[in-house]
């Protein structure tokens, strides 16, 4: 299992505070079947100033610690990038990083909205050969009330990534149901932990594999595993045509 979204670097953002905590996170990941992690500290986020962070150097240092500890986990560089107007230029200049040096760029929206310029920005990214990956759309209020907004992004070539803790109900039942609705309808194509610690914001891979197999089937689970591998290898991610989720008469997302 490859985890393409994880806050593993110590003392950087809202992830682990110490190297020891980062090592414990790595041990937890391995115990749940993770073999590689794309390390994605926050970037261009108003709450976390990581502008002076050398991600490559920090990841190399942590990788060396894990090797010394005998932890068999491969680390790759990335960022969770809060959407901003100069993203394309920052990628070209190396100030912003794609996932594991691939064409795929992990983009985060504010939790309560989708900026009006997002479509134009995504078009610019795709024109330059990048593929936007929308982080945790199930936790975005605008997508929750208007899933067609997400469908328009996906129909135009973007991907999106659901968080494991959403699928286990850590963010509440409504978020869980929306996450599964996005997966069922081809609006989300990747699952990642977005882990920050060994506490509540942890990996949940063991539980998620079980619940996804039960809800969506073995083939779907294997697709998400393959898709994560494709991201890391910079290969094409094949997706089904997206459909718009609908609700039943009780206001629940249809299965």
């Amino acid at each position: 299992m490859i985890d393409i979204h994880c806050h593993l670097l110590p003392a950087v953002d809202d992830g682990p505070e110490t190297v020891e905590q980062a090592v414990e996170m790595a041990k937890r990941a391995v115990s749940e079947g993770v073999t590689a992690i794309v390390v994605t500290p926050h970037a261009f986020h108003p709450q976390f100033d990581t502008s002076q962070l050398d991600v490559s150097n920090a990841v190399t240092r942590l990788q060396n610690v894990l090797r010394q500890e005998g932890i068999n986990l491969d680390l790759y560089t990335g960022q969770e990038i809060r959407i901003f107007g100069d993203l394309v230029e920052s990628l070209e200049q190396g100030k912003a990083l794609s996932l594991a040096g691939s064409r795929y760029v992990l983009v985060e929206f504010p939790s309560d909205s989708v900026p009006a310029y997002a479509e134009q920005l995504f078009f610019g990214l795709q024109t330059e050969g990048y593929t936007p990956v929308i982080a945790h759309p199930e936790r975005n209020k605008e997508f929750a009330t208007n899933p067609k907004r997400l469908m328009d992004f996906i129909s135009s070539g973007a991907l999106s990534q659901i968080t494991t803790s959403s699928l286990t109900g850590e963010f509440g039942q409504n978020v869980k149901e929306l996450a599964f609705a996005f997966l069922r309808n081809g609006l989300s194509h990747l699952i990642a932990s977005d882990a920050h610690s060994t506490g509540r914001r942890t990996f949940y891979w063991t539980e998620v594999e079980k619940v996804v197999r039960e809800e969506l089937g073995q083939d779907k689970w294997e697709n998400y595993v393959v898709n994560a591998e494709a991201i890391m290898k910079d290969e094409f991610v094949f997706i089904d045509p997206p459909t718009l989720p609908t609700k039943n008469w009780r206001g629940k997302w249809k299965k």
Side-chain angles (χ1 to χ4, degrees), residues 2 100 102-104 228-235:
I2 294 166
S102 70
R103 78 193 78 175
Y104 298 99
E229 292 174 353
I231 295 284
M232 198 189 71
K233 295 176 181 178
D234 197 18
E235 296 174 351

Side-chain angles (χ1 to χ4, degrees), residues 74-116:
D74 296 325
L75 304 183
Y76 296 84
T77 58
Q79 287 175 327
E80 180 182 16
I81 304 170
R82 174 61 71 94
I83 189 171
F84 71 108
D86 294 330
L87 175 53
V88 177
E89 293 81 356
S90 293
L91 285 164
E92 295 299 306
Q93 296 166 5
K95 296 177 182 177
L97 301 178
S98 63
L99 296 172
S102 70
R103 78 193 78 175
Y104 298 99
V105 181
L106 186 66
V107 180
E108 179 191 36
F109 291 139
S111 60
D112 59 350
S113 64
V114 175

Side-chain angles (χ1 to χ4, degrees), residues 180-255:
F180 274 109
F182 285 168
L183 291 174
R184 283 191 189 92
N185 288 274
L187 296 178
S188 295
H189 323 88
L190 298 147
I191 299 174
S193 73
D194 190 10
H196 286 64
S197 69
T198 56
R200 181 172 173 267
R201 298 289 301 277
T202 192
F203 293 95
Y204 297 104
W205 280 114
T206 303
E207 297 96 319
V208 161
E209 180 175 355
K210 181 175 183 291
V211 72
V212 168
R213 283 177 168 176
E214 290 174 352
E215 290 283 334
L216 304 177
Q218 174 68 17
D219 289 348
K220 279 287 190 182
W221 170 254
E222 291 177 358
N223 282 346
Y224 302 132
V225 173
V226 169
N227 287 351
E229 292 174 353
I231 295 284
M232 198 189 71
K233 295 176 181 178
D234 197 18
E235 296 174 351
F236 191 76
V237 175
F238 294 94
I239 67 172
D240 296 323
T243 56
L244 193 63
T246 57
K247 291 184 176 181
N248 62 23
W249 64 275
R250 298 175 61 194
K252 298 290 186 181
W253 295 107
K254 288 183 179 179
K255 295 187 177 181

